[in-house]
Amino acid sequence: MNREHIKQKINRDLNETLASAIGLEITEVNDRQVCGKIPVDHRTMQPFGLLHGGASVALAETLGSIAGNMKVNSDVEMAVGIEINANHIKSVKKGWVHGKATPLKIGRRIQVWEIKIANDDDELISVSRLTLAVVPKK
């Protein structure tokens, strides 16, 4: 399956999930990263008119989890989040935010991913680190 088909399948799999509720769209998938974007709109803003930090974290965890699960044997195991942290660096009031998940460590049982999120002007607005455990499917 080529990258475009993989990206389309992932976007279909996100239907009726938290990711679809915040308007997440996967924009790139390859061996070294998974990228996606969410709009800064009524679904993702806090009452003060800024992107909600929780929306950034939801974007980060979703991208990292997708990326992590692409690194396991999905017939018998899956990667699940066990810890995430985020530093919110800059506020956003409009447009889109774009996330990129890249691996820091891919082990047999633990993976660590860095997810950087930028605004439309490519300014860093948030950085997260996600730890995934690789566990057997039940």
Side-chain angles (χ1 to χ4, degrees):
M1 191 180 302
N2 69 31
R3 288 182 189 157
E4 186 61 30
H5 286 108
I6 292 169
K7 184 175 76 172
Q8 290 172 1
K9 181 187 180 319
I10 292 168
N11 279 314
R12 278 192 312 273
D13 290 347
L14 295 178
N15 283 338
E16 298 185 27
T17 68
L18 173 72
S20 68
I22 62 171
L24 192 151
E25 177 187 339
I26 300 302
T27 58
E28 184 179 345
V29 176
N30 63 49
D31 293 338
R32 293 294 297 163
Q33 64 189 22
V34 171
C35 301
K37 64 182 184 176
I38 60 171
V40 181
D41 66 13
H42 67 281
R43 296 170 289 182
T44 60
M45 293 174 90
Q46 55 170 266
F48 303 115
L50 303 172
L51 178 67
H52 195 293
S56 294
V57 173
L59 172 59
E61 184 153 2
T62 303
L63 295 178
S65 293
I66 290 168
N69 277 287
M70 293 178 66
K71 299 289 187 187
V72 301
N73 178 350
S74 62
D75 292 333
V76 296
E77 57 192 3
M78 62 185 176
V80 296
I82 58 173
E83 193 274 337
I84 188 166
N85 68 52
N87 293 101
H88 305 297
I89 298 165
K90 184 177 179 78
S91 63
V92 181
K93 293 183 177 182
K94 62 183 176 157
W96 292 80
V97 291
H98 310 265
K100 180 189 301 185
T102 56
L104 296 176
K105 167 76 171 146
I106 304 297
R108 288 184 310 125
R109 295 289 161 230
I110 295 289
Q111 299 179 10
V112 180
W113 291 83
E114 178 180 69
I115 303 91
K116 290 185 176 178
I117 300 174
N119 63 18
D120 285 328
D121 294 325
D122 203 31
E123 297 170 313
L124 186 65
I125 62 121
S126 180
V127 62
S128 293
R129 189 180 60 241
L130 172 66
T131 304
L132 301 172
V134 180
V135 300
K137 275 189 174 177
K138 297 191 180 196

